[in-house]
Amino acid sequence: MSAAGSLLVAAPLVAVPSLAVALRPAGPDTVAPLRLAVVRAAVVTGAFALLTVELLGALRLLTLPAFAVAWLVFVAATVAAAAWRRRVAASTGTSAPTGSGVARRLAAVRARLADRWRTARRGERLLAGTVGGLVLVELLVALLAEPNNFDSQTYHLPKVEHWVAQGGLEFWPTAIHRQVTIPPGAEYLLLHLRLFTGGDALYNLVQWAAGVGCLLAVARIAAQLGGGRRAQLLTAFVLGTTPMVALQATSTQTDLVCAAWVACVATLALDGLRRRAGVGTLLLLGAATGLTAVTKTSGLIGVGPLLLLWGIGQLRLAYVGGTGRGADRDRRAGARVDGPARPALVGAGRVGLPAGGADRAAPGGADDVARPTADGGAPRAPGSRAGGVARTVAGSVLVVLVALLVVGPFLARVQAEFGHPLGPPRLRESIPMERHDPPSVLVNALRIGHTALDTPLAPVRAGTAEAIMAGARAIGVDPQDRAITFGRETFPVPSWYPDEDRVAFPLAGTLALVGAVLALARPTRVSPASAGALRGYATVVVTAVALHTAMIKWQPWGNRLLLYALVLAAPLAGLWLDSLLRRRLAPEPGSEGGSSSAPGRRSVAVGLAVAMLAGSALAGVLALSYGFPRRLVGAGSVFTTSEWDTRFLRRPQWADEFRAAADAVRASGARRIGLVQQNDNWEYPWWLLLRDADGRPPELVALQSVLPDRPPADPASTDAIVCTGSRKVCADLVPAGWTLAWRGYVGYALLPPG
């Protein structure tokens, strides 16, 4: 990496903290303001990164100089905004003077962190230490391991190389339709790192950062739903120890990136239950929605219900009054806008919460508890109600328009290429459900649930799978029906093994299911201060899961597609676990002093919950230690495996075959090289192996194309041909007089001498 590249890599590390300073909310009653500031900064930075690619791509300027100028301007703007915010805060007396210096501010941060650690209980320290340790180990693996995800070899990373090679975003002839039809939001972020560094050494950090963002967002969601410090830590613990999260945080997959944007929408939408949204919030909601859509369209299944909840909350505030600026003035005048007393504060001592605001004294402190949504507020006048409704409608339109601004350019290219914004028929029919009758949806949901909650207990897996298939046949549904099953896959498949593409989450999933049921049935027991918001949020999560099972076919790696839903459900698990611990010594409601059996039942429940948490911690540690295809110990360890062997851990037998073919092609001096491959073949190794001595990428052209209006190159126009997969298909495309050499999975053909 060049010195200039190193400086550019640091640009996001400067921009995000600067934006967090500039965008930190000023309201004294904001829930977890520092985490909200980080969410806002992440959304703004993500939108900037994506729109930069779109703009420079349209100008055919996907080059290092162009990106360097864009980032330098962006960083300068964020630093200036942060400085301006500090000056404003100092002039109003709401912040330390700007002359206090960086060292003093850092010392204040360290002092706050030390105070939070000192006031935390032993269990809270254990939760925080476990999550923090896992995040640091994930960072180590992400830095040490080369990208080796299967889909990344096929289409995620070749996308980036095609963009760099052609300097623009226009589609290209290819036999792998996913290179052009699957939304490219995560790959847009990788493109920045590719141009900065000239390679893929830092690619894994995108998903790692997304994993950290998910943890921060779900902890804030727990706080918004009435959870104190322990509930927030439990939420982060449940999510952070989930093997799927731990493994994807070191990968170049895209599911964590999608889940992070969905979580940003969730925490921003929940703020809309407490206060009227300003223009800034509307822009952020729209940007986060657009980032979700351009990263993975399945994430919109979660975003849709969240935005509906936000809209309902805004309409309710339009009728009964809100907690925005006007309401703040009313409160200072003595008006009652916050509803009844907050019972969560009364019990703060029982859960070890110190006095003081969140992010000022301790994470999840008393002020970090979400307040009821203007319960008891005075109804507004009819004219005011009409204005509030109009404002909500206008705000909703703005959210949609901003989202379209973000995802629109990609959809327009797909529409122009295939005549449909969702791509060709093969894409639209392969993943979405083709039957929606209740029996088929029920069978699909049961199969998805079975795969998501799979365990190493083979008899349990086999027995439940057989029961599902027998039940499906009993109601007239073929359990392997292609209309509800992806491709040629067959249910069931083992998914308990810690593989990043399919690992199940039985512990986190069970905790989330219990939390959802309790949040819907007895929300006041789980979160007395925010029962209404909790029930509404749980309804959103359940709705998203139901829609997912009704819209997405079962597939062996479907657990990846559910990751956004697991992230949304994690706060429900953390909140009910905290409520269980909070009530373990309390008498049963309605009993005089409590029956002798009630404490016993609670002790059993607490014991089971603690055992599941311990199991979660063990699962997370084992996933990082022995997970596939990146692990700390054993065969394939990131410490003992070479770079090239790491890239081919999924298919080790292919490593020498690719290298031998590439060596022969390079030795021939070929520059224009034809590609012959099938839809699920690996293309990315060719981009690495066929670079010249200066690191310049080769001129790779496809000799097949699934894009009707983009014909493939003529084989006779190439200097060499490299093939993967089918020898027959390759032989049919090799010009007469060329010699085809084949070894296992890989072949090549060279232009005859003379």
Side-chain angles (χ1 to χ4, degrees), residues 26 40 156 193 293 347 353 367 369 390 395 414 421 473 508 515 528 569 660 666 727:
R40 290 173 171 177
H156 290 311
L193 294 177
L353 294 177
D367 285 347
V369 178
V414 176
R473 288 188 286 267
R666 278 203 316 272
R727 178 170 184 166

Side-chain angles (χ1 to χ4, degrees), residues 2-12 15 48-49 52-53 56 61-77 191-197:
S2 65
S6 300
L7 292 175
L8 290 172
V9 167
F48 161 78
T52 296
V53 172
L56 295 180
L61 287 174
L62 298 183
T63 61
L64 177 59
F67 274 64
V69 171
W71 272 100
L72 290 175
V73 171
F74 183 66
V75 169
L191 176 61
H192 292 262
L193 294 177
R194 169 66 174 83
L195 292 172
F196 292 167
T197 67

Side-chain angles (χ1 to χ4, degrees), residues 175 654 657-662 665 673-678 681-683 685-686 689-690 700-704 715 718 720-735 738-750:
W654 294 349
E657 298 170 8
F658 267 96
R659 179 175 287 169
V665 171
I673 302 166
L675 281 175
V676 179
Q677 54 197 1
Q678 285 75 59
N681 290 178
W682 286 16
E683 179 182 314
W686 298 126
L689 289 168
L690 296 175
L700 293 179
V701 294
L703 303 185
Q704 311 138 287
T718 64
I721 296 173
V722 292
C723 311
T724 51
S726 171
R727 178 170 184 166
K728 181 182 183 304
V729 172
C730 184
D732 290 342
L733 290 170
V734 172
W738 292 34
T739 301
L740 174 62
W742 198 270
R743 181 181 174 186
Y745 176 76
V746 179
Y748 67 93
L750 302 178

Side-chain angles (χ1 to χ4, degrees), residues 312-697:
I312 293 172
Q314 292 290 286
L315 288 174
R316 181 171 180 271
L317 291 174
Y319 274 81
V320 301
T323 57
R325 295 177 181 175
D328 290 337
R329 290 193 298 268
D330 292 341
R331 181 165 57 255
R332 288 193 294 270
R336 181 173 178 266
V337 298
D338 278 334
R342 291 152 57 189
L345 299 183
V346 177
R350 295 199 301 273
V351 295
L353 294 177
D359 292 321
R360 294 193 298 271
D367 285 347
D368 219 7
V369 178
R371 298 183 181 182
T373 314
D375 291 334
R380 296 192 173 196
S384 177
R385 292 179 184 176
V389 171
R391 177 181 169 184
T392 300
V393 173
S396 302
V397 172
L398 179 59
V399 168
V400 173
L401 291 177
V402 173
L404 288 176
L405 174 66
V406 174
V407 72
F410 169 71
L411 294 181
R413 288 194 297 275
V414 176
Q415 171 71 37
E417 192 72 36
F418 300 103
H420 195 289
L422 299 182
R426 64 185 302 175
L427 177 64
R428 301 198 306 271
E429 296 169 2
S430 61
I431 297 177
M433 288 274 284
E434 297 177 78
R435 291 181 57 179
H436 299 91
D437 55 288
S440 296
V441 172
L442 174 61
V443 171
N444 195 54
L446 291 174
R447 295 183 306 166
I448 289 175
H450 179 274
T451 304
L453 303 178
D454 189 24
T455 72
L457 303 175
V460 174
R461 180 191 314 119
T464 52
E466 184 56 40
I468 291 173
M469 291 190 289
R473 288 188 286 267
I475 59 176
V477 177
D478 179 2
Q480 313 300 347
D481 186 354
R482 296 301 102 190
I484 61 174
T485 305
F486 180 85
R488 298 184 180 91
E489 305 301 327
T490 302
F491 173 83
V493 296
S495 60
W496 63 269
Y497 184 79
D499 183 309
E500 66 171 355
D501 282 339
R502 63 174 64 190
V503 62
F505 32 84
L507 295 175
T510 300
L511 292 172
L513 285 173
V514 175
V517 170
L518 292 177
L520 291 173
R522 309 188 75 177
T524 56
R525 295 284 300 273
V526 177
S527 180
S530 302
L534 176 62
R535 177 174 279 169
Y537 183 78
T539 302
V540 163
V541 173
V542 172
T543 301
V545 173
L547 288 174
H548 185 100
T549 60
M551 298 173 67
I552 305 294
K553 293 177 180 178
W554 175 88
Q555 50 192 284
W557 41 90
N559 292 342
R560 289 195 300 105
L561 304 183
L562 266 177
L563 189 55
Y564 76 91
L566 179 67
V567 170
L568 291 180
L572 302 178
L575 287 165
W576 88 260
L577 286 170
D578 178 66
S579 70
L580 180 65
L581 297 173
R582 187 174 65 241
R583 300 194 315 271
R584 68 186 186 275
L585 298 178
E588 283 285 339
S591 64
E592 297 181 3
S595 65
S596 59
S597 62
R601 290 196 300 271
R602 292 196 188 94
S603 296
V604 172
V606 169
L608 289 174
V610 171
M612 294 184 73
L613 290 174
S616 295
L618 179 61
V621 171
L622 290 177
L624 283 176
S625 301
Y626 297 99
F628 192 75
R630 292 165 302 281
R631 58 177 51 165
L632 292 174
V633 298
S637 167
V638 295
F639 297 115
T640 60
T641 308
S642 69
E643 172 190 347
W644 192 245
D645 289 338
T646 298
R647 294 182 184 277
F648 280 85
L649 280 174
R650 284 282 185 191
R651 297 292 187 272
Q653 68 275 17
W654 294 349
D656 291 340
E657 298 170 8
F658 267 96
R659 179 175 287 169
D663 288 344
V665 171
R666 278 203 316 272
S668 72
R671 286 303 303 165
R672 181 175 170 85
I673 302 166
L675 281 175
V676 179
Q677 54 197 1
Q678 285 75 59
N679 186 56
D680 208 30
N681 290 178
W682 286 16
E683 179 182 314
Y684 186 59
W686 298 126
W687 290 97
L688 300 177
L689 289 168
L690 296 175
R691 290 181 181 179
D692 62 20
D694 297 328
R696 290 180 302 176

Side-chain angles (χ1 to χ4, degrees), residues 194-206:
R194 169 66 174 83
L195 292 172
F196 292 167
T197 67
D200 58 17
L202 301 182
Y203 276 6
N204 293 332
L205 293 185
V206 171

